[in-house]
Amino acid sequence: MVGHYGGSSGMIQGSFKKNSCEGYCRRCRKVHSLRYGRSVEFARDMMAAFRREQRLDYDVPADRSDSALSFEILLPGSRGHMFGVMECLDRAGKTVILRAYSSLGTGVREVSGWVPYIPDNEVFNKMVLPQQNIIKQMTVKRNALDADDPLRSHLENERRMISRELMPKIHDLYEFRNFRGETRALREVFQKDGGIPGGVGDCCAPKLLNFAAVHDLKPVSVAEFYWGGANKSGRKQPGQFFPACEEKCQPILGFMLCGLEDGDE
Ligand SMILES: [Zn+2]
Ligand SMILES: [Zn+2]
């Protein structure tokens, strides 16, 4: 889960002076944030390993690697994902580096050495997976039908209903810990009008922050970058850094980052 890096240092470029992660905290009535800091260097080390090994489990010997984690499988064609690195300090003041990937979309949920998803895997598999499989099967069935087949719209409606019912059940599985030691449900924490979008809590920053808070680690910096093929719009290039997203992350980050700054306690 946790890796220790030593001796890496270097210049942080001007473009990384902005925050990599921030959100408005209702309680403190201010924006809490984290910077890119040294996490950029650790992220670049990770990119070098990605380039060299072409697999997510780059730190295990090739003959013990899992073929399901090769980039050929995880990142085919123009497919890409966000990856995140968080520099933390443990209680003794020692640097601890955490790593996370955003949702991989291939059914891979747990990878040794990487921060896990926020919902407990067993609960998720029992409650969500069967429903998700039904939705997937319905999609395949629908796509096999002619465009004017009446069964097609029937299937589509049914599919939409099942996913609409599933969404709140998924949301119920997400709880976040902050650095005041408080735990809150997604519904209590999310602050933005228009409902909670899918996938909140699956990006790198929330996973990393939650893991750090639960394990008594103090985040110092964080960096998230894109890796894979250049996406179609060209907006995301491999190796490019992005701040935590506005749509899913910022509305929960104010709560999640609370308690981190010295003045907060
Ligand atoms: Zn996000
Ligand atoms: Zn606060």
Side-chain angles (χ1 to χ4, degrees), residues 147-162:
D148 52 0
D149 195 319
L151 194 58
R152 200 182 153 104
S153 65
H154 173 75
L155 265 174
E156 179 56 37
N157 286 338
E158 211 172 324
R159 197 185 70 121
R160 206 175 295 147
M161 228 165 64
I162 294 176

Side-chain angles (χ1 to χ4, degrees), residues 9 57 78 124 154 159 163 170 174 183 188 191 193-194 203 210 215 217:
S9 69
D57 55 354
S78 62
F124 184 91
H154 173 75
R159 197 185 70 121
S163 39
I170 294 178
Y174 285 78
T183 303
E188 296 173 79
Q191 39 175 336
D193 297 335
C203 286
N210 192 68
H215 291 86
L217 297 167

Side-chain angles (χ1 to χ4, degrees), residues 95-145:
T95 297
V96 176
I97 303 299
L98 303 177
R99 304 178 290 176
Y101 46 82
S102 64
S103 154
L104 292 173
T106 53
V108 172
R109 284 184 67 83
E110 260 184 311
V111 181
S112 158
W114 295 77
V115 162
Y117 277 81
I118 290 175
D120 179 76
N121 230 21
E122 223 168 280
V123 177
F124 184 91
N125 288 345
K126 211 166 85 190
M127 285 189 48
V128 179
L129 221 50
Q131 300 289 95
Q132 279 185 340
N133 285 335
I134 291 171
I135 293 169
K136 265 185 216 156
Q137 283 162 15
M138 290 177 93
T139 311
V140 172
K141 246 191 238 170
R142 181 203 61 186
N143 291 345
L145 293 170

Side-chain angles (χ1 to χ4, degrees), residues 1-101:
M1 202 73 44
V2 168
H4 294 265
Y5 285 62
S8 183
S9 69
M11 288 282 289
I12 300 299
Q13 291 166 12
S15 56
F16 294 119
K17 277 182 185 155
K18 279 211 284 191
N19 295 327
S20 55
C21 177
E22 62 181 32
Y24 180 78
C25 175
R26 273 178 295 197
R27 174 182 180 147
C28 304
R29 296 187 188 183
K30 66 174 194 174
V31 172
H32 295 311
S33 63
L34 266 182
R35 55 201 185 94
Y36 281 100
R38 286 209 310 159
S39 288
V40 169
E41 301 163 43
F42 297 124
R44 291 206 168 115
D45 290 348
M46 193 196 279
M47 290 182 210
F50 277 1
R51 211 172 283 123
R52 194 176 60 236
E53 301 294 335
Q54 295 296 320
R55 54 193 169 94
L56 196 58
D57 55 354
Y58 58 80
D59 50 357
V60 304
D63 59 342
R64 283 202 281 126
S65 70
D66 180 351
S67 59
L69 301 179
S70 77
F71 287 166
E72 235 178 315
I73 306 277
L74 291 181
L75 308 168
S78 62
R79 177 80 67 90
H81 296 292
M82 291 299 292
F83 295 87
V85 178
M86 181 173 276
E87 172 196 14
C88 301
L89 293 175
D90 68 10
R91 284 211 150 202
K94 196 170 171 193
T95 297
V96 176
I97 303 299
L98 303 177
R99 304 178 290 176
Y101 46 82

Side-chain angles (χ1 to χ4, degrees), residues 231-251:
N231 77 342
K232 281 189 192 112
S233 66
R235 203 181 68 84
K236 287 183 175 173
Q237 297 291 332
Q240 198 175 344
F241 288 91
F242 290 92
C245 71
E246 208 173 306
E247 187 206 2
K248 300 184 226 174
C249 290
Q250 274 181 22

